[in-house]
């Protein structure tokens, strides 16, 4: 494994921590700044909106710059945002720090995935992307408990100081370990203008892959958003059990990411179709067996495995279809955030219709089934034999 991949994974871990740790810090932040819980919640939703905007805007703005230089600038922006959050004298400044840190999120994973795949042989490109995303999946497991633990012992500012330090380490690692190659070399890539990047979106395969990504994420997140209610209201778990159950889900994400990357390098389109189909079945079975505490634990683990397994393959697929355009890679991150919002909205809509707390699981299964169909169309049009 090239050392540069470790540096990229560390950057992904820091960015993932920034996204997730705030959930465990909201009560302290709200108390310190005398704001309501709903107002403090903007630290989460504002971050998510900034991710979607920054993924496209920053990638487009840096289209002609060497990719390593862009990555260094993005991580520096991430460090600045978290530093601003750590020293924020007011709630508004803290929100600004969150927005600044979020702007780099989508572009880092989009451009970083291109750099990661350029560090290895072509037949290992999905596994390289999976290694980079391993930091993000690990942060999903550790983010909320990390924020809660550090915040409880040393205050919420200490959590942001810790993430700032991780960002500095990642920045140093990228500078030292990620090769800066001449234009045209795989890891750095030929700088392409915005017009060339936009031209890549003429490909039907790009749009089919982005659609499958949005629907796949939407199905998983539509179910995930309301899992706490499913566990407590249907499964009979105590509220205190939700934290460790979500950690089981997070471990599934880590496993699914690594397994999915390896499978995609063998037969990418088949792996994507099968993993999305497995997620559909898992969500449907989870809906049927949610009342069983014994069945819920392995099912939430499988939900994590099958939910993240398509991610490395989707990223390499969209960038292959776009001939390496960084804007397409970042658009894939934006598509996942659009899917998250869509899935959460449809899952909530299912709840308000009175269908019960298993409704988001069935809704997620329906959304993911649509992703399977889109992926089948994409595979058939690509002639991949699925």
């Amino acid at each position: 494994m090239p050392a540069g991949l470790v540096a990229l994974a560390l950057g992904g871990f820091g960015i993932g921590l920034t996204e997730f740790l705030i959930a465990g810090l909201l009560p302290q932040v709200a108390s310190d700044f005398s704001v309501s819980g709903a107002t403090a919640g903007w630290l989460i939703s504002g971050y998510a909106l900034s991710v979607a905007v920054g993924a496209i805007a920053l990638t487009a703005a840096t289209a002609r710059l060497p990719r390593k230089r862009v990555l260094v600038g993005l991580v520096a922006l991430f460090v600045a945002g978290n530093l601003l959050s750590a020293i924020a004298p007011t709630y508004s400044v803290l929100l600004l720090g969150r927005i600044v840190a979020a702007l780099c999120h989508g572009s880092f994973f989009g451009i970083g995935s291109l750099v990661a795949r350029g560090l290895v042989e072509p037949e290992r490109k999905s596994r390289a992307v999976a290694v980079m995303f391993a930091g993000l999946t690990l942060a999903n497991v550790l983010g909320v408990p990390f924020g809660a633990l550090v915040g409880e012992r040393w205050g919420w500012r200490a959590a942001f100081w810790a993430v700032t330090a991780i960002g500095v380490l990642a920045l140093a690692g990228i500078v030292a370990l990620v090769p800066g190659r001449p234009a045209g070399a795989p890891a750095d890539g030929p700088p392409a203008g915005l017009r060339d990047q936009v031209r890549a979106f003429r490909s039907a395969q790009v749009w089919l892959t982005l659609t499958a990504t949005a629907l796949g994420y939407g199905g998983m997140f539509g179910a995930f958003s309301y899992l706490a209610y499913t566990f407590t209201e249907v499964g009979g778990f105590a509220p205190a059990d939700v934290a460790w159950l979500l950690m089981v889900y997070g471990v599934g994400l880590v496993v699914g990411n690594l397994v999915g990357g390896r499978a995609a390098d063998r037969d990418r389109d088949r792996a994507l179709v099968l993993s999305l189909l497995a997620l559909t079945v898992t969500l449907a079975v989870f809906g049927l067996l949610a009342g069983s505490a014994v069945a819920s634990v392995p099912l939430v683990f499988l939900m994590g495995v099958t939910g993240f397994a398509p991610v490395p393959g989707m990223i390499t697929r969209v960038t292959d279809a776009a001939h390496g355009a960084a804007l397409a890679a970042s658009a894939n991150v934006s598509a996942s955030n659009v899917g998250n919002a869509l899935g959460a909205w449809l899952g909530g809509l299912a709840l308000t219709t009175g269908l019960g707390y298993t409704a988001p699981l069935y809704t997620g299964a329906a959304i993911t089934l649509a992703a399977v169909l889109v992926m089948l169309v994409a595979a058939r049009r690509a002639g991949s034999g699925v």
Side-chain angles (χ1 to χ4, degrees):
M1 182 171 59
L5 281 179
V6 178
L8 292 173
L10 182 60
F13 177 66
I15 290 174
L17 277 184
T18 298
E19 180 177 16
F20 300 121
L21 66 78
I22 191 64
L25 301 173
L26 284 185
Q28 291 186 39
V29 171
S31 176
D32 274 10
F33 290 123
S34 300
V35 298
S36 67
T39 300
W42 274 101
L43 298 172
I44 296 176
S45 52
Y47 185 98
L49 291 172
S50 298
V51 169
V53 173
I56 301 299
L58 287 185
T59 304
T62 58
R64 287 194 175 275
L65 297 177
R67 289 172 183 163
K68 178 178 177 178
R69 189 183 305 173
V70 174
L71 284 178
V72 169
L74 291 172
V75 178
L77 187 66
F78 165 77
V79 170
N82 280 284
L83 179 61
L84 185 60
S85 298
I87 64 175
T90 65
Y91 171 79
S92 298
V93 175
L94 175 57
L95 179 59
L96 177 62
R98 292 281 294 167
I99 291 172
V100 170
L103 288 174
C104 77
H105 184 123
S107 292
F108 177 85
F109 285 108
I111 296 171
S113 65
L114 292 174
V115 174
R117 60 181 285 173
L119 295 174
V120 299
E121 300 83 359
E123 63 271 15
R124 297 173 62 87
K125 59 189 177 184
S126 293
R127 273 172 281 186
V129 172
V131 170
M132 189 195 75
F133 271 83
L136 178 65
T137 56
L138 186 60
N140 193 293
V141 179
L142 300 177
V144 175
F146 172 84
L149 178 63
V150 173
E152 180 183 346
R153 294 193 175 185
W154 297 290
W156 63 268
R157 293 182 189 275
F160 284 104
W161 280 114
V163 175
T164 301
I166 293 172
V168 171
L169 289 175
L171 181 61
I174 290 171
V175 169
L177 302 175
V178 173
R181 303 183 182 181
D188 204 29
L194 182 57
R195 182 177 299 178
D196 293 331
Q197 301 246 6
V198 172
R199 190 176 293 123
F201 287 87
R202 294 179 180 177
S203 167
Q205 287 293 340
V206 168
W207 286 106
L208 286 168
T209 308
L210 292 176
T211 302
T213 294
L215 292 172
Y217 265 95
M220 179 180 69
F221 207 78
F224 172 78
S225 298
Y226 304 96
L227 271 182
Y229 295 104
T230 305
F231 287 138
T232 56
E233 302 297 328
V234 182
F237 289 97
D241 293 324
V242 172
W244 69 262
L245 286 165
L246 293 181
M247 287 190 71
V248 171
Y249 168 80
V251 172
L253 295 180
V254 175
V255 174
N257 174 56
L258 298 176
V259 171
R262 182 174 292 274
D265 279 334
R266 293 176 178 171
D267 189 336
R268 185 169 60 197
D269 282 358
R270 186 179 300 276
L272 290 174
V273 170
L274 290 177
S275 58
L276 289 169
L277 184 60
L279 176 59
T280 303
V281 173
T282 298
L283 292 175
V285 172
F286 200 170
L288 290 172
L289 301 180
S292 168
V294 174
S296 293
V297 178
L299 283 169
V300 76
F301 173 76
L302 286 175
M303 180 178 158
V305 172
T306 57
F308 216 87
V311 172
M314 286 294 188
I315 290 179
T316 57
R317 192 179 201 280
V318 78
T319 50
D320 282 348
H323 305 292
L327 193 60
S330 296
N332 198 72
V333 180
S334 290
S336 67
N337 279 272
V338 170
N340 290 351
L342 174 68
W345 176 68
L346 290 176
L349 194 63
L351 277 179
T352 60
T353 59
L355 295 177
Y357 288 105
T358 58
L361 289 165
Y362 293 122
T363 303
I367 298 171
T368 311
L369 181 59
V372 174
L373 298 177
V374 171
M375 194 59 235
L376 280 172
V377 170
R380 295 286 173 84
R381 292 190 62 164
S384 56
V386 176

